[in-house]
């Protein structure tokens, strides 16, 4: 039996804690491991702390400045568990989710010594809409996308394999998390930092695993989109994708691919400008300017130390075609669909 910390990141999410925390407490009690639930509160002003004090006195609290996922960097060194599950405040867990999710990370005969992160099968709250989190890489007009809805994902969504990023819920080996460096503040206030973290883990010689036997439910950008709005959220995704590529992708083909696409994207911005409302007008052009400013303002010192060949091989390894082409023909069965659908929270 191991000690597992379930750590929820919260900012002004009192209503989400009220809705989601009960499922985490139930899942922690159902696990064969010793599970402890904690909340990182990022200076909430909506009564979240008072709610936790009154309704969940057994839940440990950490208080940090509002630095998004980077708050985990501050808290994980204070924990003594070997495995930590990192969750957004809009995540519910199925009652039996914890044990399969952490199994590859627990020291023992079934542990995977090179696994530094696992992520579950995730549905939206309706229990029918697939969100992931078996994530693969894709190129779109010079930009890298991490997506779970790639062509053919239905063939592999119930098959355990690698994943390129994690999203709103993941379990991590705490020591490897600290070794890799956690989440990079370059991407603040948020978006794409989970892809960057996973990519650096792969570059360090580790890998991330998708575990469909563990099931989670996600409301979907319940805090981020509410605080920043859909347009600002999309702009940050574009800005941070550029930062990710400038920081991590050094292979000449990857650089040329981006440079060749820039004129097309700039031209598309100009053509669409008269027909879109102001917040989305010239959205890519503005994202480039914001990325340049952010890059020179607080560029991370950490860059890839691996060879161009290794980088190219890693991008191919995590491409969605590799996931789909490598799937066994019998990977999707009605039995597995029914089992996953019935594993409710």
């Amino acid at each position: 039996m191991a000690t597992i910390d379930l750590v929820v990141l919260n900012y002004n999410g009192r209503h989400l804690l009220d809705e989601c925390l009960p499922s985490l407490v139930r899942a922690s009690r159902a696990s064969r491991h010793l599970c402890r639930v904690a909340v990182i509160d990022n200076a909430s002003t909506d009564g979240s702390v008072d709610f936790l004090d009154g309704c969940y006195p057994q839940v440990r609290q950490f208080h940090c400045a509002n630095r998004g996922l980077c708050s985990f960097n501050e808290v994980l060194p204070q924990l003594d568990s070997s495995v930590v599950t990192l969750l957004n405040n809009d995540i519910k867990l199925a009652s039996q989710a914890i044990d399969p999710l952490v199994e590859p990370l627990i020291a023992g005969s079934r542990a995977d010594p090179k696994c530094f992160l696992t992520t579950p099968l995730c549905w939206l709250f309706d229990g029918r809409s697939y969100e992931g989190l078996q994530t693969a890489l894709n190129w779109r007009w010079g930009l890298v996308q991490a997506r779970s809805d790639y062509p053919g994902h239905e063939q592999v969504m119930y098959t355990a394999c690698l994943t390129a990023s994690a999203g709103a819920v993941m379990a991590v080996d705490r020591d490897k998390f600290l070794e890799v460096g956690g989440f990079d503040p370059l991407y603040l206030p948020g978006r794409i930092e989970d892809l960057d973290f996973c990519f650096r883990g792969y570059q360090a010689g580790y890998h991330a695993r998708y575990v469909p036997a563990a099931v989670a439910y996600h409301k979907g950008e319940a805090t981020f989109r509410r605080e920043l709005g859909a347009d600002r959220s999309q702009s940050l995704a574009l800005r941070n994708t550029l930062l990710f590529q400038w920081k991590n992708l050094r292979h000449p083909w990857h650089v040329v691919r981006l440079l060749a696409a820039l004129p097309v994207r700039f031209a598309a911005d100009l053509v669409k400008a008269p027909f879109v409302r102001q917040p989305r007008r010239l959205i890519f052009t503005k994202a480039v300017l914001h990325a340049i400013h952010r890059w020179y303002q607080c560029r991370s010192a950490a860059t890839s130390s691996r060879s161009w060949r290794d980088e190219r091989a890693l991008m191919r390894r995590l491409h969605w075609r590799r996931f789909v082409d490598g799937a066994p023909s019998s990977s999707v069965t009605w039995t597995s669909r029914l089992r996953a659908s019935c594993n409710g929270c």
Side-chain angles (χ1 to χ4, degrees), residues 252-264:
W253 172 242
H254 298 153
V255 175
V256 168
R257 197 165 191 167
L258 173 60
L259 293 176
L262 288 179
V264 178

Side-chain angles (χ1 to χ4, degrees), residues 44-88:
S44 295
T45 59
D46 68 341
S48 290
V49 173
D50 292 337
F51 168 76
L52 291 170
D53 289 339
C55 298
Y56 291 93
Q58 76 277 22
V59 171
R60 187 179 181 184
Q61 294 183 39
F62 297 90
H63 300 277
C64 302
N66 189 7
R67 288 173 56 79
L69 294 183
C70 292
S71 298
F72 288 122
N73 301 353
E74 181 178 339
V75 170
L76 263 65
Q78 304 177 47
L79 304 177
D80 58 4
S81 54
S82 59
V83 176
V84 184
T85 301
L86 314 180
L87 307 105
N88 285 7

Side-chain angles (χ1 to χ4, degrees), residues 106-264:
I106 299 295
S109 59
R110 297 186 62 187
D112 181 349
K114 287 297 184 180
C115 182
F116 78 109
L117 178 150
T118 60
T119 193
L121 168 64
C122 192
W123 305 93
L124 295 183
F125 273 8
D126 62 14
R128 298 184 302 272
S129 303
Y130 172 74
E131 187 182 56
L133 295 160
Q134 188 189 62
T135 309
L137 299 182
N138 181 52
W139 286 93
R140 178 176 168 81
W141 293 104
L143 296 186
V144 173
Q145 294 179 320
R147 52 185 297 193
S148 298
D149 61 343
Y150 47 84
H153 72 273
E154 301 91 347
Q155 300 176 42
V156 293
M157 58 190 288
Y158 298 106
T159 303
C161 68
L162 299 180
T163 185
S165 69
V169 53
M170 67 190 84
V172 297
D173 181 301
R174 191 180 70 92
D175 290 339
K176 292 183 176 68
F177 177 93
L178 299 176
E179 177 190 340
V180 171
F183 298 106
D184 193 337
L186 175 69
Y187 301 97
L188 286 173
R191 303 300 303 271
I192 314 300
E193 66 268 56
D194 57 326
L195 172 61
D196 174 80
F197 170 64
C198 286
F199 197 84
R200 285 184 284 119
Y202 276 100
Q203 289 180 318
Y206 302 124
H207 55 250
R209 290 204 170 277
Y210 168 69
V211 184
V215 178
Y217 302 86
H218 187 207
K219 192 161 190 175
E221 294 190 343
T223 297
F224 203 86
R225 188 178 290 266
R226 185 188 71 242
E227 294 295 326
L228 298 177
D231 295 324
R232 173 66 171 149
S233 180
Q234 175 63 18
S235 178
L236 278 170
L238 288 170
R239 186 202 75 169
N240 287 353
T241 298
L242 290 165
L243 292 173
F244 168 81
Q245 293 185 215
W246 297 346
K247 174 187 171 183
N248 294 295
L249 302 187
R250 306 287 175 164
H251 192 283
W253 172 242
H254 298 153
V255 175
V256 168
R257 197 165 191 167
L258 173 60
L259 293 176
L262 288 179
V264 178

